[in-house]
Amino acid sequence: MNLATVHQGVTKHRKRKRVGRGPGSGHGKTAGRGHKGQASRSGWSCPPTFEGGRMPLIRRIPKRGFHNRFAPVVAEINVGLLNEVFQPNQEITPELLREKGLVKGSYDLLKILGEGQVTKPLRVLAHRFSQSAKQKIEQAGGQVQLIPGPKPVPKNKMKPRKPKTS
């Protein structure tokens, strides 16, 4: 390989391939589509997942379990991390947590979990608290305040149907 010829033929703006413009162009007659078959016809397109007629991968792999698309996304953060990052008597809101980079991405609910120790009083505002997190914050002299969020769906809301009597 010669270093002088490494970039030979490489251009910033490549000319587009003009197909179907006669035999002299090198892309005439079949215009690069080959002979016969589905792909040679006009208007033909296939989904990107098409695998040439064999059983597609998505249908070959087993499906297990259930995924609730409508379940709220819950962001979680431990009280130990709040204790390290924030000053005593500081009000901790979801917006402040996002500014500090402790909570990333989109979520519906913010839940404070009880991992770690709390040594200073903190005023924490969140949608949900674990019992241990609530207990640790209040024992350190802090306050816990619930923020209204999406309402939880009550369990066993449906009533059993009565059998028809005729």
Side-chain angles (χ1 to χ4, degrees):
M1 178 183 232
N2 188 354
L3 284 176
T5 61
V6 169
H7 294 295
Q8 205 168 30
V10 178
T11 58
K12 193 169 183 180
H13 299 289
R14 192 175 190 172
K15 287 179 80 174
R16 94 182 157 88
K17 189 201 303 191
R18 297 183 72 223
V19 296
R21 295 294 185 271
S25 68
H27 301 291
K29 194 180 170 214
T30 56
R33 289 172 173 259
H35 295 276
K36 295 186 182 177
Q38 190 179 14
S40 69
R41 314 293 189 221
S42 66
W44 179 81
S45 65
C46 74
T49 56
F50 184 67
E51 298 184 35
R54 73 175 174 190
M55 184 62 68
L57 179 69
I58 195 66
R59 290 180 63 192
R60 272 182 281 161
I61 59 173
K63 278 91 178 155
R64 289 191 185 91
F66 172 75
H67 178 70
N68 186 359
R69 298 167 47 180
F70 306 104
V73 178
V74 181
E76 301 162 347
I77 190 161
N78 286 307
V79 288
L81 189 59
L82 298 178
N83 190 56
E84 293 172 16
V85 175
F86 295 102
Q87 303 301 319
N89 296 316
Q90 188 173 1
E91 188 177 274
I92 301 165
T93 61
E95 294 79 26
L96 189 62
L97 290 171
R98 190 177 296 279
E99 282 176 26
K100 295 269 188 181
L102 298 175
V103 177
K104 295 183 175 103
S106 63
Y107 60 89
D108 299 316
L109 301 169
L110 175 67
K111 184 168 183 174
I112 309 297
L113 302 177
E115 186 73 30
Q117 297 301 319
V118 182
T119 56
K120 47 190 157 186
L122 299 170
R123 185 162 179 242
V124 186
L125 286 81
H127 300 103
R128 293 180 183 170
F129 291 88
S130 69
Q131 283 187 332
S132 59
K134 190 174 184 178
Q135 186 180 7
K136 286 179 182 181
I137 292 168
E138 288 173 349
Q139 277 180 352
Q143 289 180 324
V144 168
Q145 188 176 345
L146 288 172
I147 302 172
K151 292 181 181 174
V153 178
K155 293 179 181 174
N156 301 328
K157 184 72 176 174
M158 290 179 60
K159 295 177 183 175
R161 287 186 180 177
K162 292 181 182 177
K164 289 184 179 179
T165 55
S166 50

